Amino acid sequence: MLSLIQTEFLKLKRKKFIWFMFIPALLMPLVAVLYFKAGSQVDLTPIKFYRWTAFSYTTWLILPFVLGMLITMLVYQEVENNLLTQLWIVPVGKLRFIISKFYVMWLYSICFMLICASGSIVIGSVSGLIEITNTSVLNLILKCLEIGALLPFGMIPILALATTQKGYILPVSTTIVYVFFGFILLMGNMYLHPLSSVIGVLMRNIEGVVMKDPVQIWKALLSITLWSGTSIALAINVLRKGKVL
């Protein structure tokens, strides 16, 4: 397994597009500066600024969409270059293959949120909007690490779908719909969707964020487990039959 994961990261060195996909991590910090500068906020606190930069649309929409695109493109390029056939000949277990892709997505997610945190600190400080303190910086970094580490679990169904497809159109279009409904259900019944369940858990203890109902962690974990387990099982079944769509 470790050698397979190491191989995944060696392959990433040749994929230049993944570096450009870090750019959206700085989108909300820049938008927040423009918004608060235009509004002349005199009572702006670091946590309020960070809610805009890292704890809102970056978590709800931007990062899930980026992760969906990332894993879709990684799998698509391997299918296009006929690498999957070589992996099955080795042989590499189907579950190990999916886990290795998840690990790449998981680490990428953490790096993305750390870039967002760094951008929030630097842009907030340079703009003069907020006063940087050790406590606020530490809280931001810890929360961004939590978001980066947990949110990929809400994207496992997209990962499973991507591994069963020869093309990228269905996974990409599904990612858009999947992320959109995850965002909508966040203020509805979040437990119907694994992504909204993960985000609900992440948002439950952020100052100033008000959820419709108290987050029940066991329901969220149950939703994530059922969706993830079912999607992985279906993907493995498709891969074992050699019926990649």
Side-chain angles (χ1 to χ4, degrees):
M1 175 58 73
L2 292 178
S3 60
L4 184 59
I5 292 174
Q6 183 181 14
T7 302
E8 290 291 340
F9 285 105
L10 290 176
K11 289 187 292 185
L12 287 180
K13 292 182 178 180
R14 301 192 297 269
K15 303 181 188 299
K16 296 181 179 179
F17 73 89
I18 68 168
W19 304 109
F20 292 101
M21 293 178 69
F22 280 122
I23 295 176
L26 301 175
L27 177 60
M28 287 309 298
L30 293 173
V31 170
V33 167
L34 295 176
Y35 174 79
F36 289 118
K37 281 286 188 180
S40 299
Q41 296 283 335
V42 295
D43 59 342
L44 183 61
T45 61
I47 184 60
K48 187 174 182 180
F49 182 75
Y50 297 149
R51 281 205 307 268
W52 263 80
T53 61
F55 305 151
S56 58
Y57 293 102
T58 298
T59 301
W60 302 336
L61 296 173
I62 297 175
L63 178 55
F65 182 76
V66 168
L67 293 180
M69 296 302 103
L70 170 71
I71 203 63
T72 296
M73 295 308 298
L74 290 179
V75 175
Y76 171 72
Q77 288 188 353
E78 292 195 352
V79 172
E80 189 177 38
N81 296 326
N82 204 34
L83 292 177
L84 287 186
T85 302
Q86 300 177 36
L87 286 176
W88 305 153
I89 293 175
V90 170
V92 172
K94 309 303 186 290
L95 180 59
R96 291 174 62 196
F97 171 73
I98 293 176
I99 292 175
S100 68
K101 294 300 181 186
F102 174 80
Y103 189 79
V104 171
M105 181 172 65
W106 181 78
L107 190 59
Y108 192 92
S109 177
I110 292 176
C111 293
F112 188 97
M113 289 307 300
L114 287 178
I115 291 173
C116 180
S118 301
S120 300
I121 295 168
V122 173
I123 294 174
S125 176
V126 171
S127 65
L129 284 172
I130 58 173
E131 180 181 351
I132 303 299
T133 64
N134 293 334
T135 301
S136 65
V137 169
L138 179 61
N139 290 337
L140 172 65
I141 292 175
L142 289 177
K143 194 61 184 181
C144 283
L145 283 173
E146 182 184 2
I147 293 171
L150 294 183
L151 199 139
F153 288 92
M155 297 300 295
I156 289 178
I158 297 297
L159 167 62
L161 175 65
T163 59
T164 64
Q165 302 296 309
K166 289 183 178 179
Y168 61 86
I169 296 178
L170 180 59
V172 168
S173 57
T174 302
T175 295
I176 296 173
V177 176
Y178 182 86
V179 172
F180 176 76
F181 275 101
F183 175 67
I184 294 297
L185 288 173
L186 186 59
M187 290 302 172
N189 188 348
M190 70 178 70
Y191 310 112
L192 294 177
H193 197 293
L195 182 57
S196 58
S197 295
V198 173
I199 295 175
V201 171
L202 292 170
M203 295 293 109
R204 76 190 189 284
N205 56 1
I206 296 179
E207 181 183 338
V209 175
V210 180
M211 305 297 294
K212 180 182 177 182
D213 298 303
V215 178
Q216 299 186 45
I217 296 180
W218 73 270
K219 286 186 178 181
L221 293 177
L222 179 62
S223 173
I224 297 165
T225 302
L226 289 177
W227 276 91
S228 299
T230 301
S231 59
I232 290 176
L234 291 174
I236 291 175
N237 185 55
V238 171
L239 292 173
R240 282 177 175 170
K241 292 181 177 179
K243 295 180 179 180
V244 178
L245 305 177

